[in-house]
Amino acid sequence: MPDATDTRPYDALLLLSFGGPEGPDDVVPFLENVTRGRGIPRERLKEVGQHYYLFGGVSPINAQNRRLLAALREDFAAAGLDLPAYWGNRNWAPYLTDTLREMVNDGRRRILVLATSAYASYSGCRQYRENLADALAALEREGLPLPRVDKLRHYFNHPGFVRPMADGVLAALAELPEGVRAGAHLVFTTHSIPTAQAETSGPDGGAYVAQHLDVARAIADAVRRETGVDRPWELVYQSRSGAPHVPWLEPDICDHLEELHGRGVPGAVMVPIGFVSDHMEVLYDLDTEAKAKAEELGLPVVRSATVGADPRFVAAVRELVAERAAAERGERPERCALGALGPSHDVCPVGCCPGREARPAAAGADSPYA
């Protein structure tokens, strides 16, 4: 690995996330931010927001990002890394533009971005890059000096992301009733996206599904090596939204649980590989809806943990920072990756993960702010 204390030319890290409401009064304004430009009536947003109200109108994602930010700062300091870490969101405070403005006013000019999405897709990568371009454009209109912004590579197959997930599966298996444990299946879950987005994800298309399958296989292999049991597994999807006539990735997690029960499978572990932390799509769609479906079926299920602020994931971020910094200095650092796909690209190429309309995107080969 490159020198973990040398971050040149970077002078700051930005933790970039989705954001979420932190009280009942925040729910509808937050959803208005998420759906801006789609013409969704306010009354419909109130209906959509009902699952937030079940948790007091509070999404756990901001608290989880605060923990991750604190863990990153502590890890950096312990490792002798002189790199300040900031945090900004797409859809709720602290807003990305406000955080970038703060960074510029603090004198930061070369910024690395860690997005809380590990995979290639429009919503998981390019849309964050579009948000960065929007924020830079706002700073430009204010007459502020613009920083150079780069995004860390996709980390879905970094050992610091995969190994905590595998350990989470082992812990979840131990929670299943002993009589069903040996025959339990693994159900890897991620956020469903429109099939058209999945087909165009990554530089050559199909990256979203391929990356998830690669991670699922790596975790299943690790569990097999640890337990001696080769468990059946499948990748399924959750949290679908949007118009019913638009095709999205399937099967849905609840439909899959019904199928497992119909086949006589004795139990299952739901493994949320598509999510960095236990935010609303995990707490509601898995811990509430999917578990209710399993209970209705009489199918024992346990949900394994996400990586959150696991020290191995935090250390992986530090390694990714050192790796990218070394590459920017013209060195050839070791690039850690598990599975068959190898390490992802550092710079998103032109045309990677296109959206419905052409919009400027920062931190890529087509960035107007190179």
Side-chain angles (χ1 to χ4, degrees), residues 11 102-110:
D11 55 19
E102 176 189 0
M103 297 176 81
V104 167
N105 288 334
D106 286 349
R108 313 304 175 194
R109 296 295 181 268
R110 287 295 303 270

Side-chain angles (χ1 to χ4, degrees), residues 28 31-49 241-243 356:
V28 172
L31 292 173
E32 287 175 335
N33 288 343
V34 173
T35 62
R36 180 162 287 115
R38 302 184 200 172
I40 299 177
R42 189 177 180 85
E43 290 305 312
R44 174 58 182 152
L45 294 180
K46 290 180 181 178
E47 295 175 15
V48 172
S241 61
R356 288 171 293 183

Side-chain angles (χ1 to χ4, degrees), residues 174-260:
E175 294 180 32
L176 282 171
E178 188 174 355
V180 306
R181 196 176 302 152
H185 286 212
L186 305 183
V187 182
F188 295 96
T189 75
T190 191
H191 207 300
S192 184
I193 62 174
T195 55
Q197 284 189 22
E199 290 166 358
T200 57
S201 59
D204 304 310
Y208 186 75
V209 173
Q211 290 171 357
H212 281 85
L213 287 172
D214 200 45
V215 173
R217 190 172 295 107
I219 294 172
D221 286 347
V223 171
R224 174 184 50 77
R225 288 192 298 270
E226 186 69 25
T227 64
V229 179
D230 191 6
R231 298 177 183 278
W233 62 268
E234 188 164 350
L235 176 65
V236 305
Y237 303 92
Q238 61 176 91
S239 313
R240 184 209 156 106
S241 61
H245 67 278
V246 177
W248 284 53
L249 293 175
E250 296 178 335
D252 175 76
I253 174 64
C254 290
D255 294 339
H256 184 64
L257 293 178
E258 286 191 354
E259 181 193 351
L260 292 182

Side-chain angles (χ1 to χ4, degrees), residues 61-340:
I61 192 170
N62 279 355
Q64 290 162 2
N65 281 324
R66 290 186 184 99
R67 285 195 291 273
L68 178 56
L69 183 68
L72 287 167
R73 289 170 172 168
E74 182 178 352
D75 178 270
F76 286 4
L81 212 73
D82 184 18
L83 191 74
Y86 297 73
W87 166 41
N89 289 325
R90 280 167 48 172
N91 298 300
W92 202 249
Y95 288 104
L96 170 58
T97 301
D98 296 336
T99 300
L100 271 184
R101 185 184 300 109
E102 176 189 0
M103 297 176 81
V104 167
N105 288 334
D106 286 349
R108 313 304 175 194
R109 296 295 181 268
R110 287 295 303 270
I111 297 170
L112 262 178
V113 177
L114 167 67
T116 55
S117 176
Y119 302 87
S121 71
Y122 171 73
S123 57
C125 183
R126 186 175 180 88
Q127 192 170 13
Y128 280 109
R129 294 176 48 225
E130 291 175 352
N131 297 145
L132 284 166
D134 291 342
L136 291 169
L139 299 189
E140 189 173 34
R141 290 192 296 271
E142 295 172 15
L144 292 173
L146 296 186
R148 163 77 179 269
V149 177
D150 293 328
K151 181 177 175 290
L152 288 173
R153 66 175 170 94
H154 301 304
Y155 48 84
F156 63 93
N157 57 0
H158 193 285
F161 186 74
V162 175
R163 287 174 180 153
M165 287 255 178
D167 286 350
V169 173
L170 294 170
L173 283 168
E175 294 180 32
L176 282 171
E178 188 174 355
V180 306
R181 196 176 302 152
H185 286 212
L186 305 183
V187 182
F188 295 96
T189 75
T190 191
H191 207 300
S192 184
I193 62 174
T195 55
Q197 284 189 22
E199 290 166 358
T200 57
S201 59
D204 304 310
Y208 186 75
V209 173
Q211 290 171 357
H212 281 85
L213 287 172
D214 200 45
V215 173
R217 190 172 295 107
I219 294 172
D221 286 347
V223 171
R224 174 184 50 77
R225 288 192 298 270
E226 186 69 25
T227 64
V229 179
D230 191 6
R231 298 177 183 278
W233 62 268
E234 188 164 350
L235 176 65
V236 305
Y237 303 92
Q238 61 176 91
S239 313
R240 184 209 156 106
S241 61
H245 67 278
V246 177
W248 284 53
L249 293 175
E250 296 178 335
D252 175 76
I253 174 64
C254 290
D255 294 339
H256 184 64
L257 293 178
E258 286 191 354
E259 181 193 351
L260 292 182
H261 178 257
R263 285 159 41 196
V265 173
V269 173
M270 298 185 294
V271 191
I273 57 172
F275 306 93
V276 171
S277 63
D278 290 2
H279 52 73
M280 189 57 71
E281 280 79 359
V282 175
L283 291 188
Y284 183 77
D285 297 339
L286 293 183
D287 292 354
T288 305
E289 282 196 330
K291 284 191 175 180
K293 171 58 71 174
E295 186 174 347
E296 172 193 319
L297 296 168
L299 177 68
V301 300
V302 176
R303 194 264 295 174
S304 67
T306 53
V307 297
D310 185 288
R312 291 167 292 181
F313 177 57
V314 174
V317 174
R318 172 167 37 85
E319 291 174 7
L320 288 167
V321 167
E323 171 197 301
R324 181 60 183 274
E328 288 295 305
R329 296 193 299 269
E331 301 170 19
R332 297 173 63 87
E334 179 184 353
R335 292 159 56 82
C336 292
L338 299 176

